[in-house]
Amino acid sequence: MDNKDLIERLKKKDEDALYIFIEEYGKILKGVISKTLWKYPNLWEEAMNDALLSIWQNIEYFDPSRSIFKNWCALVAKYRAIDILRKEIKFESLRLDEDSKTVDSDLYSNLEIEEILSLLNDEDKKLFENIFIHGLSYKEAASKQNISTANAYKKVSRGRNFLKKWRKSFYEK
């Protein structure tokens, strides 16, 4: 199957085309992700899932006059991995060893995060905690809450957008 047919089938949300895409481009995506997240191999699966979902949802934005398909897909994977890396670095400081003592700055950070997460409904708050604080993959967090992985991605995306809008309005005051 050539790229044009594959792209058209992906645009039509043909799930068989998605499996073909993964077979043909999975190694490229995995390579980009592993180079970006080399220090965090436990996040590779999440980054791969994010990249695949992003490609699946945004395939209509691919413009063959601006890039070849392989490069566009690699770039999507790179940006998804960078997003995950940023989150990991940001929240890595919040993870405390069971034996370590909580210092005031850690307590303040935890209270600040708790306050921000309290803006979300209980189900979304639990999902954010499981993914971003406890480090579960989207699949694990979704399973724990008895929702689909796709639903978990949607909830996190909506929650992020809500928190971004809240933060923007908060700082404009």
Side-chain angles (χ1 to χ4, degrees):
M1 173 180 294
D2 69 352
N3 280 342
K4 284 184 181 182
D5 290 337
L6 180 61
I7 293 166
E8 287 306 312
R9 287 180 63 189
L10 288 172
K11 285 181 179 180
K12 293 176 184 174
K13 302 301 181 204
D14 180 350
E15 289 185 19
D16 291 334
L18 182 60
Y19 293 117
I20 294 168
F21 171 79
I22 292 169
E23 285 293 318
E24 291 186 23
Y25 292 93
K27 288 181 182 179
I28 294 168
L29 300 180
K30 186 176 182 179
V32 169
I33 290 166
S34 64
K35 285 180 184 174
T36 306
L37 295 171
W38 62 272
K39 188 175 177 185
Y40 304 97
N42 58 316
L43 298 176
W44 294 359
E45 182 180 349
E46 180 183 352
M48 178 65 99
N49 290 338
D50 279 3
L52 290 172
L53 183 65
S54 189
I55 290 167
W56 177 256
Q57 291 178 333
N58 297 295
I59 188 69
E60 68 273 1
Y61 296 110
F62 169 66
D63 182 358
S65 68
R66 297 184 70 199
S67 176
I68 62 173
F69 186 60
K70 178 177 79 170
N71 291 350
W72 182 80
C73 293
L75 201 57
V76 169
K78 175 104 175 149
Y79 287 134
R80 299 312 303 159
I82 289 171
D83 286 345
I84 288 172
L85 181 61
R86 286 180 183 145
K87 285 186 294 189
E88 182 65 21
I89 291 169
K90 183 176 181 179
F91 289 106
E92 194 173 62
S93 63
L94 298 176
R95 293 190 185 122
L96 299 173
D97 293 331
E98 292 176 4
D99 298 334
S100 69
K101 294 182 180 177
T102 304
V103 296
D104 289 341
S105 63
D106 291 333
L107 182 60
Y108 176 76
S109 295
N110 288 336
L111 291 173
E112 188 176 37
I113 288 170
E114 185 65 33
E115 183 178 336
I116 291 169
L117 290 179
S118 72
L119 298 169
L120 301 172
N121 67 42
D122 289 341
E123 187 177 332
D124 291 352
K125 178 182 175 184
K126 184 78 173 157
L127 188 63
F128 268 69
E129 288 173 347
N130 283 332
I131 293 170
F132 300 112
I133 295 175
H134 302 298
L136 297 179
S137 70
Y138 280 81
K139 185 176 182 178
E140 293 167 332
S143 174
K144 194 171 186 176
Q145 289 187 239
N146 296 317
I147 60 174
S148 69
T149 305
N151 195 9
Y153 280 109
K154 288 177 189 175
K155 285 178 171 289
V156 168
S157 179
R158 281 193 298 256
R160 282 180 176 168
N161 289 335
F162 171 78
L163 292 173
K164 283 178 189 175
K165 287 177 187 174
W166 175 84
R167 184 178 67 191
K168 184 178 179 185
S169 68
F170 179 79
Y171 287 112
E172 287 178 352
K173 291 179 182 178

